[in-house]
Amino acid sequence: MNIHLFRHGQVDGPAALYGRTDVALSAQGLRSLRAATEMLQAPDLIITSPLQRCHQYAAESSAKHGCKLQVEEGLQEMDFGRWDGVPYRADSPDWPLMTAFWQAPDQVSPPGGETLENMQKRVNKAWNALQTLPHENIWVFAHGGTIRLIIAQILQLDWRNASLYANLSIGYASRTLVHGEAQPSPGTSRVQAIAIPAPESSAST
């Protein structure tokens, strides 16, 4: 089983924490996803976060390849509460708390949002279920935080460590390749490549 984990493309909005805010892809973001997938073997199944920055291209690909599209709520990005979708401003009264969150995301949570622990649990549950599916070639469209947590689970990294989110770059329209066996036992999945950039991504993000 090959599982291709794609981060969504560039979004049509200013720099911000986009969690549950349903921001659309930019035109460049859509082009980058098309470039990232055009040379790959056609999928047997496509799984996507319900948010349109993932779902838009997942639906296009499903129609193109004639395969099933499955929406998975558990693959959504973190809910950033009152910070969600708000453009970054260093003079914001929330900036000190946001800085503390980036430095210790397991200890500081967005006001009105989701804890990192709760996100980790739902992402792991969705990922474990995905690996049991009887398909050989799966495309998954998700988010940067979601993909980092999946990588952490496979490689047995500490998901509480802030460096996982600060230093592990998962670029727009990048592809992470995981190989596993159907009906796996723990530890059978292997990360073969992390965050392969889309051909156009270096010029567009």
Side-chain angles (χ1 to χ4, degrees):
M1 172 191 286
N2 287 318
I3 303 173
H4 302 265
L5 300 170
F6 295 95
R7 187 186 175 194
H8 59 78
Q10 182 187 67
V11 298
D12 187 15
L17 285 173
Y18 290 111
R20 302 302 173 87
T21 300
D22 202 10
V23 63
L25 285 172
S26 68
Q28 180 59 56
L30 184 57
R31 286 194 295 270
S32 293
L33 284 170
R34 287 170 177 161
T37 58
E38 65 181 355
M39 300 301 292
L40 297 179
Q41 178 184 346
D44 307 314
L45 172 69
I46 295 175
I47 300 175
T48 182
S49 157
L51 297 171
Q52 63 175 321
R53 57 191 184 271
C54 296
H55 190 279
Q56 177 186 353
Y57 185 68
E60 177 184 305
S61 297
S62 173
K64 176 181 177 180
H65 296 292
C67 64
K68 180 182 177 181
L69 177 65
Q70 178 175 319
V71 177
E72 176 50 66
E73 298 279 343
L75 295 177
Q76 293 185 79
E77 184 59 274
M78 175 179 274
D79 182 349
F80 294 111
R82 76 169 182 235
W83 301 340
D84 212 307
V86 179
Y88 291 126
R89 284 181 50 198
D91 62 348
S92 166
D94 273 345
W95 192 256
L97 187 59
M98 292 179 75
T99 301
F101 166 67
W102 291 324
Q103 293 173 344
D106 65 317
Q107 299 175 32
V108 180
S109 300
E114 183 178 24
T115 67
L116 182 60
E117 181 179 8
N118 283 346
M119 181 185 179
Q120 188 262 350
K121 288 178 179 177
R122 68 167 168 80
V123 169
N124 281 6
K125 181 179 179 181
W127 174 247
N128 289 338
L130 188 159
Q131 293 177 91
T132 67
L133 297 173
H135 297 275
E136 290 299 316
N137 193 36
I138 301 175
W139 291 4
V140 178
F141 293 92
H143 308 269
T146 303
I147 293 169
R148 289 180 180 93
L149 285 172
I150 291 171
I151 292 171
Q153 181 184 358
I154 296 169
L155 298 181
Q156 299 183 2
L157 304 176
D158 183 3
W159 57 268
R160 300 173 183 84
N161 191 333
S163 65
L164 177 70
Y165 311 96
N167 299 328
L168 178 56
S169 178
I170 306 292
Y172 286 135
S174 65
R175 176 172 63 96
T176 294
L177 176 59
V178 176
H179 179 76
E181 302 296 333
Q183 305 295 331
S185 58
T188 59
S189 294
R190 301 188 306 276
V191 177
Q192 295 190 316
I194 294 177
I196 303 166
E200 299 175 0
S201 63
S202 61
S204 64
T205 60

